[in-house]
Amino acid sequence: MDYRPIRNKLKTFTLESITTEILKQLRKTEINKNYRIPIWHLFLLLKWNYEFYPKKHKAKVADGNDLIKLMKQLEALEMSNDLFNLSKSLNFQKPLIMMAHQQFTYQNQVHWDTFTRQLILFHELKNKYDISKSFKNLTKIDLNIFINISFVIWMFTFNNLESGFNGKINFLIGGNFSSEDYDILIKVFNETDVKNYLNLLCFSEDKIDDILEKDKGIIKNYNLQTFEQSVFTRKPFLDFQNSYIVPHKNLLKHNFTHFIYEYLKSNDDKFTTEFGARMEKYVKLGLDEANFKYRTEKELEKILGLKNNLVDFVIDNNILLEVKAIEIKPYARANPDDKILANEFRKNLVKAYAKQMVNVAAKLSESEIYYGIIITYKKLFLGNSEDIWEQFLKDETLKIRKEEELKIIPYENLFFIDIVSWDMLVQIVKNNKFSLIEILEKIKITDLNPKTKKFSFSLHLESNFDLMNFNLKYLLDSYKNMELKNIGM
């Protein structure tokens, strides 16, 4: 099955009627938590509606039954994928990867540190290239102000907080960005900045061709788009019937967390190199706060007499840490075939383990066995170290190393974590309840048992460690720099 029957059906309906029916269904899922339908399918139909609606000839007005039929067709298209269809594939890991990238983005947990972490990485930390200046040149809005506007919208959309205006305020009631919402923002920020903010995040009929052409998060293969991260995570404000509407509030969760990173990665060729350097500096903030004993890459260079295939940090003589500013590309998320994943990660994850970590561990020889941590900005959603080993890491590593060489740092001692999980890890160690080795060993033992293993490192931290007091100094200091006095915070 392919997407064309759905496309052809959409071409028979008016843009307004399909959009209205989709928004009704999305609103139901917000109001009634027990009303569960695949919202990611509705997001895709909404995008396709704008892409394929008939622009010249007369069209019919769709009703709720028409939308239900389209949803069933889209579900059938999804289930026709061989990797996703369990009746055709014996690899249960592949559908998990596809579903994780398809669905987990709408379950992101957003807290105050979501914004301060970005403020540090994109604005406060300095290196060779000015990310803030680049963002301002591209978007016409100051990066610091952009983060602050997002923070205010988050507070009044998800937290129902008391403000310095007139008590409790709720943004986006019924999904509508009202004139009252707009008035509050322009009291706090410059009106030009608010307009630029909304324009940057706006999805509209007159922009559709430009958006689809430039958005690198959209998979070219329409039959795989059922698994893609929705364009509305990057453009959550829908310009519909002379109003701004957020189709579903959970779209904002991803936008608050990842928009700046995704935007700059797509629009600035110099961003990735600069961001990698800043990621290293950010990780060092955590090392210092938790009072880890560590050596940097430059110190390792002096000790080992090498310039290549080193790691960013060695902690406590036996934990090797490498920072990789990477993420899985859209096509690989939707089609995580082993060969595709191998091509995707050969030059970064495989290199980090097979060339850098094994090399440093063998040269240092300060411990009988080592542990490895690879930190990425986003969650990879590829499973634990055993899953990654079986999918592509084993074959690619054994092209470089002999099995005997891997005994010093076996793959089960390897941990793949995102930057938020790194902060959580630092907090746990700072609280003096567990050492880093104890945490890694506990997770390792849990993952070796098929009954207790978890899909990602962060799930271990959330379920097994108390993180009620999140008080990392570098995050709190950045929070104090956010200009929120005008709203009574």
Side-chain angles (χ1 to χ4, degrees):
M1 183 177 178
D2 66 26
Y3 79 101
R4 284 175 289 188
I6 304 172
R7 176 200 63 189
N8 295 340
K9 195 66 178 176
L10 283 169
K11 286 183 175 182
T12 68
F13 297 119
T14 64
L15 175 72
E16 292 77 13
S17 64
I18 286 289
T19 300
T20 299
E21 291 300 327
I22 290 172
L23 293 176
K24 283 180 186 177
Q25 290 296 312
L26 288 170
R27 202 65 58 226
K28 281 185 181 180
T29 67
E30 285 188 347
I31 296 170
N32 183 358
K33 301 303 178 185
N34 295 320
Y35 184 71
R36 297 186 177 181
I37 57 174
I39 59 174
W40 45 92
H41 286 176
L42 289 170
F43 297 147
L44 180 57
L45 284 176
L46 187 58
K47 178 178 83 76
W48 281 357
N49 182 35
Y50 275 81
E51 188 172 1
F52 300 137
Y53 80 92
K55 299 177 177 63
K56 294 182 179 179
H57 65 272
K58 256 190 170 183
K60 297 184 295 183
V61 175
D63 59 23
N65 289 327
D66 293 314
L67 181 60
I68 289 172
K69 291 176 184 177
L70 286 166
M71 290 282 285
K72 288 180 179 179
Q73 285 182 282
L74 196 55
E75 183 179 357
L77 173 62
E78 179 180 83
M79 292 304 296
S80 69
N81 185 290
D82 287 345
L83 285 177
F84 187 69
N85 192 333
L86 297 182
S87 66
K88 296 181 180 180
S89 173
L90 296 177
N91 193 330
F92 294 99
Q93 188 67 17
K94 299 308 182 186
L96 286 176
I97 293 171
M98 296 164 77
M99 287 187 292
H101 287 102
Q102 177 195 54
Q103 301 173 29
F104 286 5
T105 188
Y106 310 113
Q107 302 169 25
N108 273 347
Q109 295 299 310
V110 178
H111 303 288
W112 62 270
D113 58 284
T114 301
F115 304 94
T116 57
R117 186 175 297 108
Q118 293 177 81
L119 199 59
I120 295 170
L121 279 165
F122 301 123
H123 180 68
E124 295 175 3
L125 288 176
K126 305 297 181 185
N127 197 56
K128 296 179 180 179
Y129 183 66
D130 193 335
I131 288 178
S132 295
K133 184 178 180 181
S134 171
F135 188 83
K136 178 69 177 288
N137 290 338
L138 289 166
T139 65
K140 311 306 178 189
I141 181 172
D142 183 85
L143 190 146
N144 191 13
I145 292 173
F146 180 92
I147 292 173
N148 276 271
I149 293 176
S150 294
F151 183 80
V152 171
I153 293 174
W154 168 73
M155 285 195 302
F156 292 147
T157 300
F158 293 96
N159 297 286
N160 194 24
L161 296 179
E162 294 281 351
S163 77
F165 292 113
N166 54 359
K168 290 186 177 180
I169 296 174
N170 282 321
F171 265 27
L172 297 173
I173 296 175
N176 295 302
F177 184 75
S178 67
S179 58
E180 290 79 8
D181 298 342
Y182 183 79
D183 289 342
I184 289 172
L185 286 181
I186 64 173
K187 286 179 182 177
V188 181
F189 304 101
N190 181 289
E191 184 170 11
T192 300
D193 287 331
V194 174
K195 287 182 177 179
N196 285 336
Y197 179 93
L198 293 171
N199 184 61
L200 181 62
L201 302 183
C202 172
F203 186 101
S204 63
E205 181 182 355
D206 62 334
K207 288 183 176 181
I208 182 67
D209 291 336
D210 188 57
I211 290 172
L212 296 178
E213 180 184 348
K214 294 180 179 178
D215 194 314
K216 296 180 181 178
I218 295 175
I219 300 169
K220 302 302 181 185
N221 184 335
Y222 282 96
N223 292 330
L224 290 177
Q225 287 186 8
T226 54
F227 303 104
E228 76 179 5
Q229 173 190 300
S230 173
V231 65
F232 294 102
T233 61
R234 298 174 290 281
K235 301 284 186 180
F237 290 89
L238 175 65
D239 186 354
F240 181 62
Q241 295 181 337
N242 300 316
S243 296
Y244 280 129
I245 295 174
V246 174
H248 196 287
K249 291 179 183 178
N250 285 352
L251 290 165
L252 294 172
K253 294 180 178 180
H254 180 94
N255 190 267
F256 291 151
T257 308
H258 293 306
F259 176 80
I260 297 173
Y261 169 83
E262 291 177 347
Y263 181 84
L264 287 171
K265 192 168 184 179
S266 294
N267 293 280
D268 185 346
D269 293 337
K270 297 180 180 179
F271 169 74
T272 301
T273 300
E274 171 67 22
F275 186 66
R278 294 195 187 199
M279 280 269 290
E280 288 181 36
K281 291 185 176 184
Y282 185 89
V283 168
K284 187 175 182 298
L285 293 175
L287 292 171
D288 291 335
E289 177 134 357
N291 293 316
F292 285 115
K293 294 180 180 178
Y294 66 90
R295 283 173 284 187
T296 65
E297 183 176 357
K298 287 186 178 180
E299 291 171 322
L300 290 173
E301 187 177 322
K302 293 177 182 178
I303 295 169
L304 301 178
L306 300 172
K307 288 188 177 181
N308 299 315
N309 294 328
L310 299 171
V311 292
D312 294 320
F313 303 98
V314 174
I315 307 169
D316 295 335
N317 298 325
N318 65 342
I319 302 173
L320 311 177
L321 191 155
E322 178 67 15
V323 179
K324 293 293 183 185
I326 60 167
E327 65 173 316
I328 183 169
K329 292 186 178 68
Y331 181 75
R333 294 177 204 153
N335 189 26
D337 177 81
D338 289 349
K339 291 182 180 179
I340 292 173
L341 292 177
N343 289 332
E344 182 92 352
F345 295 115
R346 186 175 292 121
K347 294 181 180 179
N348 38 65
L349 296 187
V350 175
K351 178 186 175 184
Y353 175 56
K355 292 186 177 181
Q356 296 171 261
M357 289 182 172
V358 174
N359 180 56
V360 172
K363 295 290 183 182
L364 280 177
S365 297
E366 295 176 338
S367 175
E368 291 185 5
I369 195 161
Y370 284 82
Y371 299 80
I373 296 175
I374 297 177
I375 299 179
T376 58
Y377 183 59
K378 290 184 179 182
K379 290 182 175 70
L380 293 176
F381 292 129
L382 294 174
N384 64 12
S385 59
E386 182 180 22
D387 297 326
I388 294 173
W389 176 254
E390 293 298 333
Q391 289 176 92
F392 64 89
L393 188 58
K394 178 181 179 179
D395 289 345
E396 293 301 314
T397 297
L398 294 179
K399 292 177 183 177
I400 301 169
R401 297 285 182 183
K402 297 177 181 178
E403 279 195 66
E404 296 176 358
E405 295 180 276
L406 306 180
K407 290 180 180 178
I408 197 167
I409 179 169
Y411 74 84
E412 58 266 26
N413 281 17
L414 196 59
F415 302 88
F416 300 85
I417 74 176
D418 63 287
I419 197 68
V420 177
S421 297
W422 167 250
D423 283 338
M424 294 165 68
L425 200 58
V426 170
Q427 184 69 64
I428 294 166
V429 175
K430 182 184 175 183
N431 292 346
N432 293 318
K433 291 188 177 181
F434 298 92
S435 69
L436 183 53
I437 285 291
E438 287 173 332
I439 296 170
L440 298 180
E441 271 295 314
K442 183 177 178 66
I443 292 175
K444 171 185 169 182
I445 292 169
T446 303
D447 269 348
L448 288 173
N449 184 342
K451 294 181 179 180
T452 58
K453 68 177 286 189
K454 296 188 183 299
F455 188 64
S456 68
F457 190 90
S458 62
L459 291 176
H460 285 287
L461 299 183
E462 292 165 5
S463 60
N464 295 321
F465 302 94
D466 180 14
L467 281 163
M468 294 301 292
N469 296 317
F470 201 67
N471 59 359
L472 298 180
K473 185 178 182 300
Y474 52 93
L475 291 173
L476 289 172
D477 286 347
S478 183
Y479 180 74
K480 293 174 184 176
N481 292 332
M482 297 180 75
E483 297 178 4
L484 304 169
K485 297 177 183 177
N486 292 334
I487 56 173
M489 293 303 293

